[in-house]
Amino acid sequence: MGTTTETARTTTVLYVIVVVVAVLISTVLAPVVWNATTSSSDDDPSVAVITLRGGTSDANVNAITDDLRDARTNDSVEAVVFRIDSSGGGVAPSEELYLAVNRTAQEMPVVAYVEGVAASGGYYGIVPADQIFVKSSSTVGSVGVIVQAPLSTVDQQERAAQSYIRSGPDKALTTRDKLRNRMETLQNAFLNTVMTHRGENITLDRQGVSRADTYLGPTAVRNGFADRIGDLDAAIEDAARRADSIDGDQYDVTYYEPPEITTGLLLAQDEIEGVDGDVVYVESSATDEFEDPVRFYYVWGVPTETVSDETEVTTDASG
Amino acid sequence: MRAGSVVKPLGVFLAVILVVLAGTAVAGVALSDGSSAAADGEDIDGQSPSHIQPENVLADADPEDGEIQLDTDAEDKRILIDTQHGNQVPEDSIQPLVEALVQRGHSVDVGASGTSDGFGTTSSYNATLQEYDAVLIVAPTTSFGESQIAGLEAYTEGGGRVVVLGEPTQYSVSSGLGSASVSPLRFGANDLTRAFGMRMGSDLLFNVDDSETDNNYKAIYANPTGSGDLSEGVDTVTFDASGHVVVPDDSDAEPIVRAAEGTQRFSTRRSGEYVTAARNGNFVLVADSTFVRDSEVYDADNEQFVSNLLAFMVTGDKPDDVPQTGGDDSGFGGGDGGGFNSTTP
């Protein structure tokens, strides 16, 4: 009997040990399972601050759309503050930026804070925001399009046609009329977008907006291009107040790393050749023999000077 | 140890882990239910917003149709195209006019016949004018001398037709090594047009109302001010980067077309009723020269307006001895600087 009792005790001890070890291991694994099933790890909801400083270049906009996607899919993010200092850029990435911000604004409050400039493509990107904060030194507006075409595309067709044989009359050649019509179409898209999102705020009519003027903060608040004067914190506070799941001050602020600043507005497709003081030399895009026959920009800027076949661009600091 | 004594505890071990983790999973799913976002892109409205659909953004372009027609009985008229006053006119830009005239059997001289650079072998300006039934002066940038103006006045009084296509002040950029200079190109014939009671304004016109422009704020529409030979059959003409014609109140000149409502001047941004073409007898001034180009001539009713202008040029009835050449004409060849026979550097 003694042996039997001893065996039973041993068995009991063994089971206790087994259960304890199992519970311990489970405790380690449980959080993993918990995370996998809830996907939410923070206690407090958060406001994401996403920053764009620089042109709406392909690279910048890609980074911002990634940030916005991350904010949308992260359950702890309940609102977004889009901090911007951008004079726009190519039409394609500018529109991409608009669509990404628009999508985000469909899901959660988005508040824009104009740190410096939100003009042309930059303004396109913030029109879907629920609220636009500006400083008195902020610049917004410039709802318009610029088209750039080398002379060989438009005015020197014959000369160009003699150097290169083309399979059709419209192969990389066009007319001023056609360019203007395309520009008008892009302008309509921009104007429609601005009027759809902010038509009720803006005191100007469609024609007035199409003049493509820019406005400093105080004027913008008056004419409805922006909503309020305030700083980043005011924008964050406003975004938090707009989020249903944020209760009072119970929220965190998550700053997304801004995309690395690209040097200028028009450099999106260009390779930087060298920097001399505040002058940046870039080589024109595409191949040595060809460039884009036409480029459309939602940009607030003036043409940069050309030095031989290199483009000279002054950086904004002292240019 | 027997096999059973290993299997059983192992079974319990695994069962406990399974129960705890399953419980955690159930709790996790239950708690997060309702708060998890839909997969990115699901149930999102507005990724193909209606305001950027084709029907809402595509620009309407004016159809380029119609023909330049010259249905007059006039025959064998001689037309002179002025090349002596710094005319900013690439020859191919007036080809539609030249072709239409030649097609109907008229002759066109770009510059006077006989020489490549002047009014020919005749020594006097009036003698040169005598050879032609109409003169077309496109975008002049140098001024007309007093004697030339007097000659053209006599010419129109005698039945000759003069058409001036002006341009507002433009800027040409010439770039040198490391620098660029901007120089204005001004309309040069205001002394001439003043003699006919009108003046070319220097400012550019624009209109931001899309329904009053062709495809750009600078491509303004203009409409006839009344009925007349030159506006017959014309509802709308379009001028690209046009200037305007100032017609003083006491002038005999009459407006032909006027820029559409809402048209503004570029420098002052003031709206007004801007005349873009005017006529005084046998003299016509249009405040734009580009509407005759291939790319513009079939826009709106431009082809009809151009047809009317051509008819105007070939239906004059000028005797061969007008303007008269006399002793007074001797100075016309070069005394005024910019005279037709003076050589240009």
Side-chain angles (χ1 to χ4, degrees):
Chain A
M1 282 307 279
T3 315
T4 313
T5 316
E6 205 169 302
T7 308
R9 194 178 298 136
T10 312
T11 310
T12 310
V13 169
L14 178 69
Y15 277 108
V16 167
I17 290 170
V18 162
V19 169
V20 167
V21 169
V23 168
L24 284 176
I25 291 176
S26 302
T27 335
V28 173
L29 291 176
V32 178
V33 176
W34 178 262
N35 279 350
T37 49
T38 62
S39 79
S40 173
S41 54
D42 286 347
D43 290 333
D44 284 342
S46 68
V47 173
V49 177
I50 296 173
T51 306
L52 170 60
R53 294 188 182 111
T56 52
S57 63
D58 288 327
N60 281 349
V61 170
N62 275 340
I64 296 298
T65 51
D66 276 353
D67 288 351
L68 289 167
R69 185 180 304 114
D70 189 78
R72 288 194 302 267
T73 51
N74 186 336
D75 275 355
S76 72
V77 175
E78 297 294 342
V80 168
V81 168
F82 185 27
R83 171 166 57 172
I84 189 166
D85 183 7
S86 174
S87 302
V91 289
S94 298
E95 193 169 29
E96 199 75 20
L97 177 66
Y98 157 70
L99 289 169
V101 173
N102 188 40
R103 168 179 284 196
T104 311
Q106 307 278 339
E107 287 186 44
M108 61 180 69
V110 173
V111 173
Y113 167 59
V114 184
E115 192 174 57
V117 176
S120 208
Y123 190 67
Y124 203 169
I126 63 169
V127 285
D130 298 282
Q131 193 82 347
I132 297 177
F133 278 80
V134 290
K135 297 183 293 193
S136 38
S137 58
S138 304
T139 299
V140 297
S142 193
V143 180
V145 194
I146 290 178
V147 56
Q148 187 226 332
L151 279 178
S152 55
T153 309
V154 193
D155 285 337
Q156 299 180 6
Q157 294 196 4
E158 287 317 307
R159 200 190 301 175
Q162 282 165 14
S163 321
Y164 297 96
I165 315 282
R166 296 158 198 268
S167 59
D170 294 331
K171 176 66 179 170
L173 289 177
T174 190
T175 62
R176 192 176 294 267
D177 266 10
K178 274 193 199 172
L179 286 181
R180 281 182 166 183
N181 278 333
R182 286 178 201 182
M183 187 166 69
E184 198 73 9
T185 297
L186 292 167
Q187 166 77 340
N188 283 340
F190 196 173
L191 270 177
N192 287 354
T193 303
V194 170
M195 296 316 279
T196 299
H197 289 280
R198 298 201 60 88
E200 288 180 5
N201 307 71
I202 293 178
T203 57
L204 284 71
D205 60 6
R206 189 184 161 91
Q207 268 179 41
V209 176
S210 79
R211 301 179 71 103
D213 205 350
T214 52
Y215 309 98
L216 285 173
T219 315
V221 170
R222 280 282 164 83
N223 68 16
F225 271 74
D227 298 298
R228 288 167 65 183
I229 301 278
D231 65 356
L232 179 64
D233 287 339
I236 293 171
E237 216 165 274
D238 187 72
R241 196 178 51 72
R242 287 167 185 276
D244 294 335
S245 319
I246 293 179
D247 196 16
D249 291 342
Q250 297 299 303
Y251 63 91
D252 295 330
V253 180
T254 313
Y255 289 87
Y256 282 70
E257 192 68 24
E260 210 166 296
I261 297 172
T262 50
T263 42
L265 292 173
L266 307 180
L267 309 184
Q269 302 157 18
D270 298 333
E271 188 120 354
I272 295 173
E273 286 271 286
V275 180
D276 176 16
D278 58 0
V279 177
V280 182
Y281 291 93
V282 297
E283 194 176 13
S284 290
S285 63
T287 66
D288 288 343
E289 292 83 12
F290 295 99
E291 58 183 321
D292 290 350
V294 55
R295 293 184 193 176
F296 293 98
Y297 296 102
Y298 290 138
V299 72
W300 181 54
V302 292
T304 49
E305 284 183 69
T306 309
V307 179
S308 67
D309 59 344
E310 289 178 328
T311 310
E312 181 190 284
V313 179
T314 51
T315 49
D316 53 5
S318 56
Chain B
M1 247 187 207
R2 291 190 306 273
S5 63
V6 176
V7 172
K8 271 190 186 171
L10 193 63
V12 171
F13 175 75
L14 290 176
V16 169
I17 291 181
L18 205 64
V19 166
V20 172
L21 293 189
T24 312
V26 169
V29 169
L31 283 175
S32 66
D33 191 36
S35 66
S36 74
D40 192 32
E42 276 180 30
D43 302 327
I44 303 300
D45 183 32
Q47 280 318 284
S48 181
S50 62
H51 58 262
I52 57 173
Q53 299 301 322
E55 62 271 22
N56 291 327
V57 297
L58 281 175
D60 288 330
D62 281 356
E64 304 212 356
D65 51 16
E67 295 291 331
I68 300 174
Q69 289 174 331
L70 193 49
D71 300 324
T72 64
D73 297 333
E75 286 177 358
D76 296 334
K77 297 288 185 176
R78 297 194 68 195
I79 317 294
L80 173 68
I81 294 172
D82 180 24
T83 56
Q84 296 296 301
H85 293 88
N87 306 74
Q88 300 295 308
V89 48
E91 209 167 300
D92 54 357
S93 73
I94 49 170
Q95 277 312 300
L97 299 189
V98 175
E99 282 172 20
L101 288 166
V102 171
Q103 183 83 35
R104 294 289 300 180
H106 307 291
S107 65
V108 179
D109 289 335
V110 179
S113 62
T115 66
S116 59
D117 66 338
F119 256 35
T121 52
T122 48
S123 59
S124 104
Y125 177 53
N126 283 7
T128 305
L129 286 180
Q130 280 182 353
E131 297 176 25
Y132 294 96
D133 298 289
V135 180
L136 176 65
I137 302 165
V138 184
T141 57
T142 58
S143 60
F144 284 70
E146 274 177 40
S147 53
Q148 295 177 356
I149 294 168
L152 283 165
E153 276 186 289
Y155 181 73
T156 53
E157 277 163 22
R161 299 276 164 96
V162 175
V163 173
V164 179
L165 307 182
E167 277 289 313
T169 301
Q170 294 175 350
Y171 295 89
S172 74
V173 180
S174 53
S175 55
L177 283 173
S179 69
S181 63
V182 178
S183 48
L185 284 174
R186 294 196 171 85
F187 180 73
N190 265 333
D191 288 342
L192 172 66
T193 60
R194 187 172 55 203
F196 294 91
M198 53 187 98
R199 182 184 173 80
M200 175 82 195
S202 63
D203 215 354
L204 190 76
L205 298 184
F206 72 94
N207 196 332
V208 289
D209 184 347
D210 279 349
S211 63
E212 299 293 358
T213 59
D214 182 5
N215 53 11
N216 188 260
Y217 69 103
K218 286 188 199 165
I220 60 164
Y221 283 159
N223 310 106
T225 53
S227 59
D229 293 347
L230 287 169
S231 56
E232 196 181 333
V234 174
D235 281 332
T236 308
V237 284
T238 172
F239 297 115
D240 188 10
S242 174
H244 68 285
V245 179
V246 180
V247 182
D249 292 339
D250 58 353
S251 168
D252 293 334
E254 291 191 356
I256 304 167
V257 289
R258 185 176 281 141
E261 201 182 334
T263 303
Q264 301 172 59
R265 294 173 61 161
F266 207 83
S267 62
T268 61
R269 306 291 163 98
R270 294 189 79 88
S271 300
E273 296 197 332
Y274 296 109
V275 174
T276 46
R279 173 182 184 173
N280 189 350
N282 287 332
F283 182 91
V284 167
L285 171 62
V286 184
D288 179 52
S289 71
T290 54
F291 72 101
V292 300
R293 291 188 180 178
D294 280 319
S295 59
E296 305 291 325
V297 75
Y298 299 108
D299 286 344
D301 298 328
N302 283 11
E303 72 282 351
Q304 187 59 47
F305 185 53
V306 167
S307 302
N308 295 346
L309 277 176
L310 293 180
F312 170 78
M313 286 199 279
V314 299
T315 50
D317 192 15
K318 184 191 74 68
D320 286 344
D321 60 350
V322 170
Q324 287 182 349
T325 55
D328 290 354
D329 292 333
S330 57
F332 282 17
D336 292 295
F340 278 75
N341 284 333
S342 65
T343 50
T344 46

